[in-house]
mmCIF file with all atom_site columns, all heavy atoms in Angstrom:
data_model
loop_
_atom_site.group_PDB
_atom_site.id
_atom_site.type_symbol
_atom_site.label_atom_id
_atom_site.label_alt_id
_atom_site.label_comp_id
_atom_site.label_asym_id
_atom_site.label_entity_id
_atom_site.label_seq_id
_atom_site.pdbx_PDB_ins_code
_atom_site.Cartn_x
_atom_site.Cartn_y
_atom_site.Cartn_z
_atom_site.occupancy
_atom_site.B_iso_or_equiv
_atom_site.pdbx_formal_charge
_atom_site.auth_seq_id
_atom_site.auth_comp_id
_atom_site.auth_asym_id
_atom_site.auth_atom_id
_atom_site.pdbx_PDB_model_num
ATOM 1  N N   . GLY R 1 172 ? 96.772  131.043 111.078 1.00 0.00 ? 180 GLY R N   1
ATOM 2  C CA  . GLY R 1 172 ? 98.241  130.937 111.391 1.00 0.00 ? 180 GLY R CA  1
ATOM 3  C C   . GLY R 1 172 ? 98.888  132.278 111.631 1.00 0.00 ? 180 GLY R C   1
ATOM 4  O O   . GLY R 1 172 ? 99.840  132.400 112.505 1.00 0.00 ? 180 GLY R O   1
ATOM 5  N N   . SER R 1 173 ? 98.474  133.322 110.879 1.00 0.00 ? 181 SER R N   1
ATOM 6  C CA  . SER R 1 173 ? 99.259  134.519 110.959 1.00 0.00 ? 181 SER R CA  1
ATOM 7  C C   . SER R 1 173 ? 99.129  135.131 112.386 1.00 0.00 ? 181 SER R C   1
ATOM 8  O O   . SER R 1 173 ? 99.978  135.900 112.787 1.00 0.00 ? 181 SER R O   1
ATOM 9  C CB  . SER R 1 173 ? 98.718  135.600 109.909 1.00 0.00 ? 181 SER R CB  1
ATOM 10 O OG  . SER R 1 173 ? 97.331  135.692 110.033 1.00 0.00 ? 181 SER R OG  1
ATOM 11 N N   . ALA R 1 174 ? 98.032  134.804 113.082 1.00 0.00 ? 182 ALA R N   1
ATOM 12 C CA  . ALA R 1 174 ? 97.889  135.284 114.431 1.00 0.00 ? 182 ALA R CA  1
ATOM 13 C C   . ALA R 1 174 ? 98.876  134.604 115.426 1.00 0.00 ? 182 ALA R C   1
ATOM 14 O O   . ALA R 1 174 ? 99.125  135.098 116.487 1.00 0.00 ? 182 ALA R O   1
ATOM 15 C CB  . ALA R 1 174 ? 96.428  134.977 114.982 1.00 0.00 ? 182 ALA R CB  1
ATOM 16 N N   . LEU R 1 175 ? 99.525  133.538 114.921 1.00 0.00 ? 183 LEU R N   1
ATOM 17 C CA  . LEU R 1 175 ? 100.504 132.857 115.736 1.00 0.00 ? 183 LEU R CA  1
ATOM 18 C C   . LEU R 1 175 ? 101.894 133.404 115.583 1.00 0.00 ? 183 LEU R C   1
ATOM 19 O O   . LEU R 1 175 ? 102.831 133.043 116.301 1.00 0.00 ? 183 LEU R O   1
ATOM 20 C CB  . LEU R 1 175 ? 100.555 131.327 115.405 1.00 0.00 ? 183 LEU R CB  1
ATOM 21 C CG  . LEU R 1 175 ? 99.695  130.420 116.201 1.00 0.00 ? 183 LEU R CG  1
ATOM 22 C CD1 . LEU R 1 175 ? 98.206  130.687 115.943 1.00 0.00 ? 183 LEU R CD1 1
ATOM 23 C CD2 . LEU R 1 175 ? 99.994  128.949 115.800 1.00 0.00 ? 183 LEU R CD2 1
ATOM 24 N N   . LEU R 1 176 ? 102.069 134.286 114.555 1.00 0.00 ? 184 LEU R N   1
ATOM 25 C CA  . LEU R 1 176 ? 103.442 134.777 114.229 1.00 0.00 ? 184 LEU R CA  1
ATOM 26 C C   . LEU R 1 176 ? 104.088 135.442 115.419 1.00 0.00 ? 184 LEU R C   1
ATOM 27 O O   . LEU R 1 176 ? 105.311 135.341 115.616 1.00 0.00 ? 184 LEU R O   1
ATOM 28 C CB  . LEU R 1 176 ? 103.420 135.654 112.955 1.00 0.00 ? 184 LEU R CB  1
ATOM 29 C CG  . LEU R 1 176 ? 103.229 134.923 111.690 1.00 0.00 ? 184 LEU R CG  1
ATOM 30 C CD1 . LEU R 1 176 ? 102.876 135.891 110.559 1.00 0.00 ? 184 LEU R CD1 1
ATOM 31 C CD2 . LEU R 1 176 ? 104.410 134.060 111.359 1.00 0.00 ? 184 LEU R CD2 1
ATOM 32 N N   . GLY R 1 177 ? 103.399 136.163 116.199 1.00 0.00 ? 185 GLY R N   1
ATOM 33 C CA  . GLY R 1 177 ? 104.005 136.863 117.397 1.00 0.00 ? 185 GLY R CA  1
ATOM 34 C C   . GLY R 1 177 ? 103.853 136.064 118.659 1.00 0.00 ? 185 GLY R C   1
ATOM 35 O O   . GLY R 1 177 ? 104.252 136.551 119.683 1.00 0.00 ? 185 GLY R O   1
ATOM 36 N N   . ALA R 1 178 ? 103.269 134.817 118.585 1.00 0.00 ? 186 ALA R N   1
ATOM 37 C CA  . ALA R 1 178 ? 102.982 134.162 119.826 1.00 0.00 ? 186 ALA R CA  1
ATOM 38 C C   . ALA R 1 178 ? 104.216 133.457 120.423 1.00 0.00 ? 186 ALA R C   1
ATOM 39 O O   . ALA R 1 178 ? 105.222 133.362 119.741 1.00 0.00 ? 186 ALA R O   1
ATOM 40 C CB  . ALA R 1 178 ? 101.866 133.144 119.581 1.00 0.00 ? 186 ALA R CB  1
ATOM 41 N N   . ASP R 1 179 ? 104.079 133.035 121.635 1.00 0.00 ? 187 ASP R N   1
ATOM 42 C CA  . ASP R 1 179 ? 105.220 132.375 122.346 1.00 0.00 ? 187 ASP R CA  1
ATOM 43 C C   . ASP R 1 179 ? 105.225 130.912 121.987 1.00 0.00 ? 187 ASP R C   1
ATOM 44 O O   . ASP R 1 179 ? 104.936 130.002 122.800 1.00 0.00 ? 187 ASP R O   1
ATOM 45 C CB  . ASP R 1 179 ? 105.099 132.593 123.835 1.00 0.00 ? 187 ASP R CB  1
ATOM 46 C CG  . ASP R 1 179 ? 106.258 131.975 124.606 1.00 0.00 ? 187 ASP R CG  1
ATOM 47 O OD1 . ASP R 1 179 ? 107.311 131.655 123.949 1.00 0.00 ? 187 ASP R OD1 1
ATOM 48 O OD2 . ASP R 1 179 ? 106.148 131.824 125.857 1.00 0.00 ? 187 ASP R OD2 1
ATOM 49 N N   . LEU R 1 180 ? 105.677 130.685 120.742 1.00 0.00 ? 188 LEU R N   1
ATOM 50 C CA  . LEU R 1 180 ? 105.708 129.269 120.263 1.00 0.00 ? 188 LEU R CA  1
ATOM 51 C C   . LEU R 1 180 ? 106.718 128.426 120.985 1.00 0.00 ? 188 LEU R C   1
ATOM 52 O O   . LEU R 1 180 ? 106.661 127.221 121.079 1.00 0.00 ? 188 LEU R O   1
ATOM 53 C CB  . LEU R 1 180 ? 106.018 129.203 118.762 1.00 0.00 ? 188 LEU R CB  1
ATOM 54 C CG  . LEU R 1 180 ? 104.728 129.300 117.865 1.00 0.00 ? 188 LEU R CG  1
ATOM 55 C CD1 . LEU R 1 180 ? 105.163 129.643 116.455 1.00 0.00 ? 188 LEU R CD1 1
ATOM 56 C CD2 . LEU R 1 180 ? 104.007 127.967 117.842 1.00 0.00 ? 188 LEU R CD2 1
ATOM 57 N N   . GLU R 1 181 ? 107.707 129.108 121.519 1.00 0.00 ? 189 GLU R N   1
ATOM 58 C CA  . GLU R 1 181 ? 108.784 128.359 122.294 1.00 0.00 ? 189 GLU R CA  1
ATOM 59 C C   . GLU R 1 181 ? 108.261 127.568 123.486 1.00 0.00 ? 189 GLU R C   1
ATOM 60 O O   . GLU R 1 181 ? 108.801 126.622 123.869 1.00 0.00 ? 189 GLU R O   1
ATOM 61 C CB  . GLU R 1 181 ? 109.960 129.261 122.701 1.00 0.00 ? 189 GLU R CB  1
ATOM 62 C CG  . GLU R 1 181 ? 110.997 129.588 121.631 1.00 0.00 ? 189 GLU R CG  1
ATOM 63 C CD  . GLU R 1 181 ? 110.520 130.513 120.573 1.00 0.00 ? 189 GLU R CD  1
ATOM 64 O OE1 . GLU R 1 181 ? 109.458 131.145 120.821 1.00 0.00 ? 189 GLU R OE1 1
ATOM 65 O OE2 . GLU R 1 181 ? 111.096 130.547 119.465 1.00 0.00 ? 189 GLU R OE2 1
ATOM 66 N N   . ASN R 1 182 ? 107.228 128.207 124.065 1.00 0.00 ? 190 ASN R N   1
ATOM 67 C CA  . ASN R 1 182 ? 106.723 127.613 125.360 1.00 0.00 ? 190 ASN R CA  1
ATOM 68 C C   . ASN R 1 182 ? 105.353 127.209 125.360 1.00 0.00 ? 190 ASN R C   1
ATOM 69 O O   . ASN R 1 182 ? 104.789 126.820 126.410 1.00 0.00 ? 190 ASN R O   1
ATOM 70 C CB  . ASN R 1 182 ? 106.973 128.682 126.468 1.00 0.00 ? 190 ASN R CB  1
ATOM 71 C CG  . ASN R 1 182 ? 108.465 128.974 126.672 1.00 0.00 ? 190 ASN R CG  1
ATOM 72 O OD1 . ASN R 1 182 ? 109.212 128.116 127.085 1.00 0.00 ? 190 ASN R OD1 1
ATOM 73 N ND2 . ASN R 1 182 ? 108.912 130.163 126.338 1.00 0.00 ? 190 ASN R ND2 1
ATOM 74 N N   . THR R 1 183 ? 104.683 127.238 124.208 1.00 0.00 ? 191 THR R N   1
ATOM 75 C CA  . THR R 1 183 ? 103.230 127.003 124.209 1.00 0.00 ? 191 THR R CA  1
ATOM 76 C C   . THR R 1 183 ? 102.872 125.963 123.094 1.00 0.00 ? 191 THR R C   1
ATOM 77 O O   . THR R 1 183 ? 103.344 126.106 121.981 1.00 0.00 ? 191 THR R O   1
ATOM 78 C CB  . THR R 1 183 ? 102.392 128.258 123.987 1.00 0.00 ? 191 THR R CB  1
ATOM 79 O OG1 . THR R 1 183 ? 103.051 129.361 124.619 1.00 0.00 ? 191 THR R OG1 1
ATOM 80 C CG2 . THR R 1 183 ? 101.008 128.203 124.513 1.00 0.00 ? 191 THR R CG2 1
#
Side-chain angles (χ1 to χ4, degrees):
Chain R
S181 54
L183 266 66
L184 285 167
D187 182 14
L188 272 164
E189 275 73 17
N190 297 293
T191 324

